[in-house]
Amino acid sequence: MAFSEFQMLSVLAEELNMRKAAERLFVSQPALSQRLQNIEKEWGVQIFIRSQKGLSLTPAGELIIRFAKEVLEKEERVRDEIQALQSKVHGTLKIACASIVGQNWLPQVLKKYVEAYPEAKISLITGWSSEILKALYEDEVHIGIIRGTPDWKGVKIHLFEDSLYLVDKEIRRIEDVLQTDRPFIQFKSDSNYYQEIQDWWRRQFQTPPKRTIVVDQIETCKQMTFNGIGYAILPAITLNGAEKDIYKIPLLGEHNAPIKRDTWLLGYESSFQLRQVQAFVDIIQKFIAQSSNMNHLR
């Protein structure tokens, strides 16, 4: 198959609709249908089942689409590596990032990156730690930004740490938690964050919270807390200082030391050789240094 036919099959598999695929590919629907028939004839199997509702993949079609996508991904990697040899920063920077970092810290860094390297492209996915590590292992991204203490054998760069706070509109002291009937709002996480909170709570109170509300996103947890529904434990990265009428009590661990969360940049050695990745790491290091200087001046 010609390379353009791999792209055509990939778009068809994404849209599962002949009209929408034809629009994306800037070809007529009859021309697209004819090309698909030729490809199916070449393979000797039916790739898609046509119906009034659209297209659906056959088992053989799933194998062919997987092969087509692998070819496209390899081609993109080759292009990135070729562009990395040039003097300017080109290519696509592929990042998988913890949602909390993607919402609260990364946009400031990406803004500087885009301004400095306008010819570079960015592909960003956010999610839980397990999803980020999976994307790295499967070579879907160049680098991952993850919370906690990851077990990673490749390059691992420490970015920053931030403290944890008990946040509420009414509670002013940790001890008041035992008297309140307000719910403890928690958010789901697949990292060790949830376990850290549980361990701290047991050491501090030796009894479970009276009421709990569990949500699926940290941003939901934050907004519910800021609206006075209950109290939560949030990392400093989510608190920008603009919150009104909110009490923030630092969580203390052993020897009264603040409990903190680490954020790491992960990747394979080969990825850090790409110019767009090198440039991104440089931007991050400058941003962290500037932020540190600003904090010292305050």
Side-chain angles (χ1 to χ4, degrees):
M1 287 192 297
F3 185 75
S4 60
E5 291 173 337
F6 289 121
Q7 293 175 314
M8 187 193 82
L9 287 176
S10 179
V11 170
L12 278 167
E14 288 172 7
E15 296 293 347
L16 293 176
N17 181 286
M18 196 67 80
R19 179 183 58 80
K20 290 181 180 179
E23 289 174 354
R24 274 184 61 182
L25 293 165
F26 299 101
V27 298
S28 68
Q29 197 168 323
L32 179 60
S33 180
Q34 184 60 50
R35 288 178 68 184
L36 177 57
Q37 288 176 23
N38 292 339
I39 294 173
E40 289 178 326
K41 200 175 295 181
E42 185 180 331
W43 281 95
V45 293
Q46 188 175 11
I47 299 175
F48 293 95
I49 297 172
R50 288 81 159 167
S51 71
Q52 290 183 340
K53 293 183 178 179
L55 303 175
S56 57
L57 279 166
T58 65
E62 289 179 0
L63 293 174
I64 293 169
I65 294 299
R66 189 185 310 159
F67 170 69
K69 288 185 175 181
E70 287 173 359
V71 171
L72 290 171
E73 288 169 0
K74 286 179 181 177
E75 188 269 354
E76 187 176 3
R77 282 201 295 271
V78 170
R79 287 185 180 275
D80 283 347
E81 289 168 4
I82 291 172
Q83 289 175 334
L85 299 175
Q86 309 303 315
S87 58
K88 292 183 179 180
V89 175
H90 293 274
T92 303
L93 174 66
K94 298 179 182 179
I95 311 170
C97 181
S99 297
I100 185 174
V101 180
Q103 292 167 354
N104 298 280
W105 182 83
L106 186 62
Q108 303 168 72
V109 178
L110 289 181
K111 182 175 185 291
K112 293 182 179 293
Y113 181 80
V114 169
E115 289 172 349
Y117 306 107
E119 296 180 46
K121 298 176 183 177
I122 297 170
S123 171
L124 173 64
I125 58 174
T126 60
W128 284 358
S129 301
S130 59
E131 296 167 333
I132 294 164
L133 289 172
K134 182 173 181 288
L136 281 168
Y137 286 134
E138 295 183 357
D139 208 23
E140 294 175 358
V141 295
H142 298 133
I143 50 176
I145 298 176
I146 202 166
R147 300 276 282 175
T149 308
D151 181 19
W152 180 253
K153 300 290 190 277
V155 179
K156 187 163 71 170
I157 301 172
H158 185 260
L159 298 182
F160 60 87
E161 62 180 16
D162 56 323
S163 300
L164 299 183
Y165 292 88
L166 190 142
V167 180
D168 189 41
K169 290 181 78 74
E170 294 183 11
I171 296 172
R172 303 188 185 195
R173 303 178 309 148
I174 290 291
E175 298 77 20
D176 295 343
V177 168
L178 293 175
Q179 275 71 52
T180 187
D181 288 325
R182 295 160 61 72
F184 178 27
I185 306 170
Q186 299 173 281
F187 63 91
K188 295 177 183 176
S189 170
D190 69 341
S191 70
N192 61 351
Y193 179 87
Y194 182 80
Q195 190 58 48
E196 278 187 50
I197 301 303
Q198 297 300 307
D199 293 344
W200 174 83
W201 188 281
R202 280 193 291 270
R203 288 196 307 270
Q204 189 75 32
F205 302 117
Q206 293 86 45
T207 182
K210 294 179 183 178
R211 297 168 60 200
T212 59
I213 297 175
V214 180
V215 298
D216 64 345
Q217 296 287 338
I218 191 169
E219 187 61 26
T220 307
C221 176
K222 172 183 168 181
Q223 292 304 325
M224 290 176 70
T225 305
F226 287 4
N227 280 278
I229 295 172
Y231 61 95
I233 292 175
L234 297 171
I237 190 175
T238 63
L239 307 171
N240 58 19
E243 307 85 21
K244 294 182 179 179
D245 305 321
I246 291 289
Y247 297 106
K248 297 180 287 190
I249 309 164
L251 263 60
L252 303 179
E254 296 179 8
H255 311 297
N256 280 334
I259 298 177
K260 299 184 177 183
R261 294 281 287 165
D262 290 301
T263 299
W264 296 85
L265 177 71
L266 314 178
Y268 290 110
E269 187 69 46
S270 57
S271 292
F272 285 88
Q273 295 172 10
L274 297 171
R275 287 186 62 82
Q276 67 266 39
V277 177
Q278 293 173 355
F280 182 68
V281 173
D282 289 342
I283 290 285
I284 280 182
Q285 290 172 338
K286 289 176 184 174
F287 178 79
I288 290 173
Q290 290 170 356
S291 299
S292 178
N293 290 336
M294 290 291 291
N295 289 334
H296 287 315
L297 291 173
R298 285 173 185 170

